[in-house]
Amino acid sequence: MKVSLSWLSEILEESLDEYTVSNILQSSGIEVEQIDEVKTDFNKVVIGRIINHEKHPDADRLFVVDVDLGGEIKRIVTAATNLSVGDIVPVALHGSRLSTGTIIKKTKLRGILSEGMFCSPNELGFGKDHSGIMILNDEKFQIGSDLASVLGEKDYVFDLSIPANRPDLMSVVGVAREIGAKLRLKVKINDFECKDSNDFSPIKVRIDFPEGCLVYLGQWIEGVKVKPSSPFIAERLKKVGIRPINNVVDCTNYVMYLFGHPLHAFDMGKINNRIIVRRAFDNECLVLLDGSEVILNENDIVIADESGSIGLAGIMGAGNSEISNATTDVFLEAAIFNHVNIRRTSRRLGIRTEASIRFEKGLYWKDVSEIISFASKMIASVSDGILHKKIEIDGKVPESSKDIYLVPEKVNSILGTTFSKTDIQESLQNLGFKVECKDSSFRVSSPTYRLDIKEAEDLVEEVARFQGFDKIPSTLPGEPMPGFLPKKIELINKIKSYFANNGFTESISDSLISMEDVLKTNIISTDDIDKATFIENRVIKVLSPLSEEHSVLRTSMLEPLTMLLKRHLNRQIYDISFFEVGKVFKKINNSFLEENLLGLIATGKRQLDPWRLPVEDKNWSFYSFKGVFENFFRSFGIVDWEISSDVDYIFHPSISCAFVINDKKVLEIGEVNPRILHNWEINQTFFYAQLFVDEFLDLLEFKNVKHVFSVFPAATRDISMLVSKETFYSKIRNEIKMLECPILENISILDVYQGKGIPEDMKSITLSLRFRSEEKTLSNEEITEWVEKIIKKLKDNLGIQIRSEVN
């Protein structure tokens, strides 16, 4: 938001300097990004009055004009046809520099010396019109005065960064209120006088999309003369970065900057019968004022008549209704459009205008009728038109906000200050709030333009802003305040530490990925219809993505980790082990699911240069990868789990498993499905694990467990058995543990074999059982007794066969 110092000084009726204004704004929480000194871009242009006008004796298309420059008479030869005796005009003398960069010199034209040149609006930078000389009809232009001096040779423009919750500051009046509050000054804006009439407008208004437009106001100005704006309006717009066009359009821009509410002027002669605010049709085409063609959809709001669209609501008008030099009647629009619709349309089409920026932030509604009345009077005044006072309105104005009760003690409690009740009351009143004392509290009514004020804490912030943040004391706590982390964060940090300490590197990736990456990772079907159904039912799309690469939320940690893996492999880095803890997102039955997941990948060598390891142990394998997690569970005090083959489709169906604890699937690990490797064009197999963090944390009970080491020797017994191919080792182990043998210290698996000599539906497993007592050396009889109990239980419950007993 740009605002000039001269404009602020005018409406506050006070001579301000740039340092004072900058300090006040900064202390009020409004960031001043830059202050630019600006000057008029022309010089040596003097205001003169034509006292004589004759045809050139030797040229049919030239005129000889004498102009009074305040006691000094200059003769100028010109081809302009819009001059007559008595006109007040800008005169560029010898040595003048114009806005176009042209340097003026004395020259003879058909034998007569011309001592300067009359200036058109285009040559002074006041518009595009160069068809005639600019006529200055304002009493501020005194004969003989330098035009730049009258307009203000030097000014300062403030470039402000406006907070998103303060749309009222997107205006000169809004910024002036903040300055006026500190300096005890009131904002004063002079109204315009014009011809008026009480006739009803022939153009009626109808809102067909009430969710997109709360209220729409339209006013008719008849008999306007479209011409360049006065230098005062044109120069003021130039300073804030707006290019002057003509007096009607410039008035709408002027009022938008002054009050912060965008307006739009239609050529009334180009409107067919009525104004209709409606949804755009899908694939509706509209040509905008800048000549660009846009394709709309039903989420866009358009202004239309009975023939079609004439404007893209809140963003830009259409070329088929623009103001031109032939315009005689103007229909002026002021409305409140839904800021969400405007933001979506603006971003989708890539069109950002001063109007859309303001609508996106949200506009206050109560003063719209006053703003359109002011703008209509201004247009009628500068264009010699007739204002028809009857305003066409459709829509319902929202109810005003409720009062807020504020206890003075709460202000000081939050801020740590000692402000008196009078200080608090005056602070709020100076900022435009109505404050009424009620017993020990204040009843505060917010001004209509302060949409950000919702609760008492907002009023506390206003008091702090007005009084100055420098008045809030900086104090240290009276006693040490030890920091702490929530238990969940503490546990997640322990999980990260474990993997970091075991050779894995933590990565941090973006939650937003591309749809292409999702398609490459989700391999449920090659059928396009099934794939489309899956995506529609499970993948969460971003409504307004910044790019296609960030258009959906990740569905697992495999997607970002695979991207990371591929990036390393492309750079000839083949030994990789990474992990990441983050959120994944899924859509299930039209509801959104968000869960914490730990993803971990490994491929290549387990260590850098593992020269002392056997060849078969140098690289990652399924069992070495699985062992990492077995040790991980043990480090957290979990020693019992079941192994399941029920894993996600992202894993290799034969080289994967799941860890189930207390009937909950906590972990899935395995080699990544070869189809995913093919989709990602990765030639090196790798292992992936996903730990369901929320389920894992629910299992944790941290206890200090005392382990007593026996001084007596251990004894081992091996059991070779035939079991069904469907029986997992974890089931065998659990059956043995259910016996609660007091001398059984450990169970381990020595061998698994399938093949020659073993029935096709069976497999051979050899277990090693270690027995030890804390009280004595065990006898052979005691160990044999327990071995027999174990074998009997396994036979009864799992139907095993002891290999030595099989013929």
Side-chain angles (χ1 to χ4, degrees), residues 658-716:
F659 283 63
V660 180
I661 303 173
N662 293 348
D663 298 324
K664 286 186 177 181
K665 187 193 292 184
V666 177
L667 171 70
E668 294 179 329
I669 67 170
E671 192 176 295
V672 174
N673 195 304
R675 286 171 57 192
I676 294 179
L677 271 64
H678 172 76
N679 292 344
W680 282 89
E681 298 179 352
I682 294 175
N683 298 321
Q684 181 171 320
T685 59
F686 67 96
F687 297 95
Y688 172 68
Q690 53 185 19
L691 177 73
F692 303 103
V693 175
D694 296 324
E695 284 80 357
F696 177 71
L697 296 182
D698 290 340
L699 298 172
L700 296 184
E701 291 182 7
F702 285 93
K703 297 177 181 178
N704 291 321
V705 181
K706 182 176 71 173
H707 294 280
V708 178
F709 292 93
S710 174
V711 297
F712 298 100
T716 60

Side-chain angles (χ1 to χ4, degrees), residues 199-205 218-224 226 248 264-275 305 310 320-324 326-333 386 388 390 392:
D199 292 344
F200 287 94
S201 169
I203 303 295
K204 303 303 177 184
V205 173
Q219 198 156 36
W220 174 26
I221 305 123
E222 184 183 14
V224 301
V226 179
V248 175
H264 187 71
F266 296 98
D267 186 332
M268 198 162 170
K270 299 174 183 177
I271 300 174
N272 185 1
N273 196 27
R274 69 173 63 246
I275 289 286
D305 60 12
I310 58 175
N320 57 8
S321 61
E322 69 176 318
I323 302 296
S324 67
T327 300
T328 56
D329 290 351
V330 170
F331 188 82
L332 185 65
E333 163 197 287
I386 299 172
H388 294 269
K390 299 293 184 180
E392 292 297 319

Side-chain angles (χ1 to χ4, degrees), residues 722-757:
L722 293 178
V723 299
S724 169
K725 287 175 66 175
E726 308 301 323
T727 303
F728 285 97
Y729 160 69
S730 59
K731 282 189 176 182
I732 301 173
R733 185 191 60 187
N734 290 340
E735 289 292 336
I736 296 173
K737 286 192 173 185
M738 288 173 65
L739 284 171
E740 297 183 354
C741 174
I743 61 173
L744 181 60
E745 185 178 65
N746 185 56
I747 308 169
S748 61
I749 189 167
L750 295 180
D751 179 65
V752 178
Y753 173 71
Q754 287 177 264
K756 187 177 180 181

Side-chain angles (χ1 to χ4, degrees), residues 120-123 126-133 226-228 244-245 325:
S120 69
N122 179 65
E123 289 160 338
F126 295 149
K128 297 185 292 183
D129 188 2
H130 52 78
S131 60
I133 303 305
V226 179
K227 55 187 178 182
I245 298 174
N325 290 337

Side-chain angles (χ1 to χ4, degrees), residues 328-357:
T328 56
D329 290 351
V330 170
F331 188 82
L332 185 65
E333 163 197 287
I336 298 291
F337 298 113
N338 187 311
H339 65 281
V340 175
N341 290 79
I342 302 301
R343 185 185 304 117
R344 287 177 180 172
T345 300
S346 176
R347 289 188 179 180
R348 182 175 59 81
L349 298 177
I351 302 173
R352 293 276 286 173
T353 63
E354 291 292 338
S356 69
I357 290 170

